Amino acid sequence: MFIKNLPHKTVERLSQYRRALLMILSKEKTHVFSHEIAQMLHITPVQVRRDLMLIGYSGNLRKGYDIKELIDLIGKIIDSERGQRVAVVGLGNLGKAFISYFKGKRSKLSMIAAFDINPEKINRVFDGVPCYHINQLPEIIKQNNISIGIITVPSEQAPEIAESLVLSGIKGILNYTPKPLNVPAYVYLEEYDMITSLEKVAFFAKKNDERFK
Amino acid sequence: MFIKNLPHKTVERLSQYRRALLMILSKEKTHVFSHEIAQMLHITPVQVRRDLMLIGYSGNLRKGYDIKELIDLIGKIIDSERGQRVAVVGLGNLGKAFISYFKGKRSKLSMIAAFDINPEKINRVFDGVPCYHINQLPEIIKQNNISIGIITVPSEQAPEIAESLVLSGIKGILNYTPKPLNVPAYVYLEEYDMITSLEKVAFFAKKNDERFK
DNA sequence: TTAGCATTGTTAATAAATAAACAGTAACTG
DNA sequence: CAGTTACTGTTTATTTATTAACAATGCTAA
């Protein structure tokens, strides 16, 4: 399904709508209003309606949105029909956390492999995901047609891992390292830095504190 | 130091500028140009200059910015003079990852405590951080004047943890649970959801792939 | 059967974030 | 010592994201 130029934030919210809807899906409740979705995610109903407008979904004027239909439509838009395979590079605490969070969640995304350099982890299975040595990365990525890589290695190693992923044909990278990466335009890169997040919270907590005291 | 209404994104970048600058700080190199900072973080030089303008810092026309001065100024703005204390609630893989990442990084933020319900973890020290039972949370938070909480528990438990943190006088919360939380306006809340991030990467990776093929 | 109400879908307004444009100026160069 | 260069600092424009406004519609209930 093609919808041109869906805004980044809308894509994020669609993912959240779907998860929220999956949670309330039941026989008794088949429909949901925009203000109900909004309340679950602490956003405004207008935002919800606007997002749904962008993906061309229409609800019933008096009953709201058909939950099942909406879940399916979001799937048609954000999922890849053939599914996408994911690998985690770096099986430390963060890599493990990701795999555990992920487990049994999304049917169209499958966690296929983890990579590390620690011999104790290699050739073992963590939470259903086999771990290989990093120098097998190109081989495994290509063989299994893995298109998404999550980087959770120590930051010094991030650039070379990214390069290796790109050369192996990866299409998207999620970088949890504080080291900003350089990738070609045909690879989508998303970066998230925990320390920056914490410093941001610290800043606004301090500011709030001054304002409300 | 008061700068009114610093934009959220600017605060995030200031944190990143500081870390990047700390890395290149040395005797030989005392100054840095906006385009050098920009290159390190893969943003535009204009963005850098604009952010520095917002915090009222002036560089030298021909030499650029004094690295040491700039680091100090950013500290004066985003750090709290008296320091801020942080606790992690949920010492699973993600909680541990956070503590390890954090270790020995920021002097003005100190990781004081972790909380869990697993008896094997309680009353032990992980990476220098002692772990307590969750029902000691209010007590420990108040006693140690902890103002920032990081939630990494399973999502069902997130709302009660958040409530407990708020009642204990916390000022800022970083929620890594997919469950959106409700907190009063005087508590700053930042939420990050790994699965949404991954689905976003998957979506744009797919889209890029169609576009560039 | 008609007035009122609750809800959607869309357009218009506002706010936030980024990028472009450009004036100003100290150092360098011939 | 005049012209050029390589920067900064600030204003203006553009893009992106959110919010507000409101018309349209069909259900409900008198």
Side-chain angles (χ1 to χ4, degrees):
Chain A
M1 185 140 200
F2 315 127
I3 308 269
K4 69 165 189 182
N5 289 342
L6 229 34
H8 282 218
K9 297 281 182 169
T10 294
V11 173
E12 290 176 15
R13 282 189 297 263
L14 288 174
S15 158
Q16 293 172 331
Y17 296 161
R18 174 164 67 174
R19 249 177 315 151
L21 292 174
L22 282 167
M23 301 233 302
I24 61 165
L25 184 60
S26 68
K27 282 164 281 303
E28 302 97 55
K29 193 167 173 57
T30 59
H31 288 71
V32 65
F33 296 122
S34 62
H35 65 260
E36 292 177 303
I37 299 179
Q39 198 166 39
M40 291 189 284
L41 304 189
H42 302 132
I43 58 176
T44 66
V46 190
Q47 185 80 84
V48 174
R49 294 206 298 277
R50 194 167 216 301
D51 287 334
L52 299 189
M53 185 191 91
L54 291 176
I55 63 171
Y57 184 63
S58 288
N60 282 45
L61 198 39
R62 200 72 178 193
K63 292 196 290 181
Y65 304 95
D66 183 306
I67 299 179
K68 183 123 192 15
E69 260 179 41
L70 184 47
I71 290 172
D72 288 347
L73 177 61
I74 293 176
K76 282 210 186 78
I77 290 166
I78 72 177
D79 290 337
S80 165
E81 210 173 330
R82 300 170 45 213
Q84 283 162 295
R85 282 147 297 285
V86 183
V88 173
V89 188
L91 195 53
N93 285 312
L94 188 54
K96 286 179 183 170
F98 208 104
I99 290 174
S100 307
Y101 258 57
F102 188 82
K103 202 181 178 186
K105 290 273 168 51
R106 303 257 46 81
S107 60
K108 288 295 183 181
L109 292 176
S110 39
M111 188 69 76
I112 293 290
F115 299 96
D116 208 297
I117 49 168
N118 182 339
E120 306 228 334
K121 294 173 182 166
I122 291 162
N123 292 323
R124 299 185 61 173
V125 174
F126 177 81
D127 243 334
V129 179
C131 181
Y132 307 93
H133 191 280
I134 281 192
N135 58 31
Q136 285 185 275
L137 190 148
E139 176 194 345
I140 302 282
I141 296 279
K142 286 177 197 159
Q143 267 173 18
N144 295 280
N145 195 23
I146 293 173
S147 62
I148 294 164
I150 302 169
I151 302 181
T152 59
V153 298
S155 59
E156 317 83 57
Q157 294 160 38
E160 51 174 317
I161 296 295
E163 197 188 341
S164 175
L165 285 169
V166 170
L167 290 175
S168 306
I170 215 90
K171 299 301 184 338
I173 292 178
L174 183 43
N175 176 29
Y176 281 108
T177 281
K179 177 91 192 160
L181 299 177
N182 229 330
V183 299
Y186 59 84
V187 173
Y188 179 82
L189 172 66
E190 174 94 5
E191 312 205 287
Y192 179 76
D193 175 354
M194 290 183 153
I195 299 298
T196 287
S197 266
L198 180 62
E199 294 198 335
K200 185 183 175 192
V201 171
F203 174 80
F204 285 107
K206 170 179 73 125
K207 204 178 147 221
N208 255 1
D209 203 27
E210 286 160 5
R211 202 154 67 85
F212 282 97
K213 84 176 163 206
Chain B
M1 185 139 201
F2 315 128
I3 308 270
K4 69 165 189 182
N5 288 342
L6 229 34
H8 282 218
K9 296 282 182 168
T10 294
V11 173
E12 290 177 16
R13 281 190 299 263
L14 288 174
S15 158
Q16 292 173 331
Y17 295 162
R18 174 164 67 174
R19 247 175 319 148
L21 292 174
L22 282 167
M23 300 232 304
I24 61 165
L25 184 60
S26 69
K27 281 163 283 301
E28 302 95 54
K29 193 165 172 60
T30 60
H31 289 71
V32 66
F33 296 122
S34 62
H35 66 260
E36 291 176 304
I37 298 179
Q39 196 166 40
M40 291 190 283
L41 305 189
H42 301 135
I43 58 177
T44 66
V46 189
Q47 185 79 82
V48 174
R49 295 206 299 277
R50 193 168 218 301
D51 287 334
L52 299 190
M53 185 189 91
L54 291 176
I55 63 171
Y57 185 64
S58 289
N60 282 45
L61 198 39
R62 200 70 178 195
K63 292 196 289 181
Y65 304 95
D66 183 308
I67 299 178
K68 184 124 194 12
E69 260 179 42
L70 184 47
I71 290 173
D72 289 348
L73 178 61
I74 293 176
K76 282 209 186 80
I77 289 166
I78 72 178
D79 290 337
S80 166
E81 210 173 329
R82 301 169 46 213
Q84 283 161 295
R85 281 148 298 285
V86 184
V88 173
V89 189
L91 195 53
N93 285 313
L94 188 54
K96 287 178 183 171
F98 208 102
I99 291 174
S100 306
Y101 258 56
F102 188 82
K103 202 181 176 184
K105 290 273 166 55
R106 302 257 46 81
S107 58
K108 288 294 182 181
L109 292 176
S110 38
M111 188 69 76
I112 292 289
F115 298 95
D116 208 298
I117 49 168
N118 183 340
E120 306 228 335
K121 293 174 183 167
I122 291 163
N123 292 324
R124 298 186 61 174
V125 174
F126 177 81
D127 243 335
V129 179
C131 181
Y132 306 94
H133 192 281
I134 280 191
N135 57 30
Q136 286 184 275
L137 189 148
E139 175 194 345
I140 301 281
I141 297 278
K142 286 176 196 158
Q143 268 174 19
N144 295 281
N145 194 23
I146 293 172
S147 62
I148 294 165
I150 301 168
I151 301 182
T152 59
V153 299
S155 59
E156 317 85 56
Q157 294 160 38
E160 51 174 318
I161 296 294
E163 198 188 343
S164 175
L165 285 169
V166 169
L167 291 174
S168 307
I170 214 89
K171 299 300 185 335
I173 291 178
L174 184 42
N175 175 30
Y176 281 109
T177 280
K179 177 92 191 158
L181 300 177
N182 230 332
V183 298
Y186 58 84
V187 173
Y188 179 82
L189 172 65
E190 174 93 5
E191 311 205 286
Y192 179 77
D193 176 354
M194 289 182 153
I195 299 299
T196 288
S197 266
L198 181 62
E199 293 197 336
K200 185 183 176 192
V201 172
F203 174 80
F204 285 107
K206 170 178 72 124
K207 203 178 148 222
N208 255 1
D209 203 26
E210 287 160 5
R211 201 153 67 86
F212 282 97
K213 85 180 160 204

